[in-house]
């Protein structure tokens, strides 16, 4: 598989998971959390899918396409280690959906990032809420793996609900 194939597969998987989230959360109350604004691609897709839900966004900085900038009052800027804790205090465990796109090119740095951030996530998600992540969160207590959309290859993307 070429790197082009891998990128295309990853983006298609992200889109399939976010699309699947619409039916998975249904009418359940709660906001959406986007961890990793980056270029703003998945944030933009979430805005289309969930026009009536507040979407709170986390990143170190805003480096997204100008059309994909969240409103200032829904943006948590800084290290997620700090901002997720701040969001837990402000928002509580009330998210219906978390999308976490928190990997780097560096596998060891990604592993450290997930080890730090993963345990903070259950505190933001409502019971029965859904999380899709580009990294495995198998080690996070309170999360149970869900059946992934059929077009998402094994270990390409990961989905869980909170017990
Ligand atoms: C893969 S990019 C996200 C791409 C984005 N979802 C998109 O569709 O354009 C990951 C982003 O997460 C942010 N990030 C990862 N770990 C972070 C951390 N611990 N604190 C703050 N930002 C973090 C990075 O700054 C980067 O912008």
């Amino acid at each position: 598989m070429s790197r082009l194939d891998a990128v295309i597969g990853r983006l298609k998987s992200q889109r399939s998971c976010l699309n699947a989230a619409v039916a998975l959360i249904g009418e359940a109350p709660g906001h959406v959390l986007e961890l990793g604004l980056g270029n703003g691609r998945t944030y933009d897709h979430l805005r289309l899918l969930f026009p009536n839900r507040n979407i709170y966004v986390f990143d170190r900085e805003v480096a997204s396409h100008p059309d994909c900038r969240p409103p200032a009052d829904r943006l948590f800027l800084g290290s997620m280690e700090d901002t997720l804790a701040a969001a837990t205090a402000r928002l509580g465990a009330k998210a219906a959906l978390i999308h976490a796109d928190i990997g780097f090119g560096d596998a060891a740095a990604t592993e450290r990032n997930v080890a730090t951030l993963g345990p903070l996530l259950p505190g933001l998600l409502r019971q029965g809420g859904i999380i899709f992540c580009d990294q495995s969160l198998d080690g996070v207590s309170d999360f149970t793996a869900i059946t992934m959309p059929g077009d998402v290859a094994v270990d390409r993307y990961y989905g869980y609900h909170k017990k």
Side-chain angles (χ1 to χ4, degrees):
M1 183 191 294
S2 71
R3 293 190 66 189
L4 178 62
D5 291 330
V7 168
I8 290 170
R10 177 170 165 274
L11 296 180
K12 287 174 77 173
S13 297
Q14 278 186 323
R15 185 180 57 185
S16 292
C17 290
L18 299 184
N19 289 348
V22 175
L24 285 168
I25 67 173
E27 299 299 316
H31 46 257
V32 173
L33 303 183
E34 165 78 327
L35 276 50
L37 174 65
N39 188 268
R41 284 181 297 247
T42 50
Y43 169 64
D44 195 35
H45 199 67
L46 286 167
R47 283 194 304 195
L48 285 174
L49 293 175
F50 300 103
N52 298 318
R53 293 183 190 262
N54 286 331
I55 304 176
Y56 295 93
V57 179
F58 298 75
D59 208 308
R60 287 183 202 289
E61 58 180 354
V62 174
S64 57
H65 187 280
D67 290 345
C68 304
R69 294 202 171 137
D73 63 345
R74 297 200 198 122
L75 191 54
F76 286 86
L77 274 187
S79 166
M80 284 189 219
E81 195 173 350
D82 302 323
T83 56
L84 291 175
T88 304
R90 181 173 144 197
L91 304 173
K94 292 192 178 151
L97 172 68
I98 299 176
H99 173 234
D101 189 10
I102 51 176
F104 308 109
D106 177 339
T110 297
E111 203 173 313
R112 286 195 298 277
N113 205 31
V114 174
T116 303
L117 303 183
L120 302 176
L121 301 179
L124 286 156
L125 194 62
R126 61 181 297 117
Q127 195 176 5
I130 299 294
I131 176 162
F132 282 114
C133 185
D134 67 323
Q135 308 296 319
S136 170
L137 297 172
D138 284 356
V140 176
S141 60
D142 291 340
F143 286 166
T144 303
I146 59 172
T147 304
M148 297 296 281
D151 60 345
V152 176
V154 174
D155 290 340
R156 174 91 73 189
Y157 233 73
Y158 302 86
Y160 305 86
H161 76 261
K162 182 175 163 183
K163 290 179 220 164

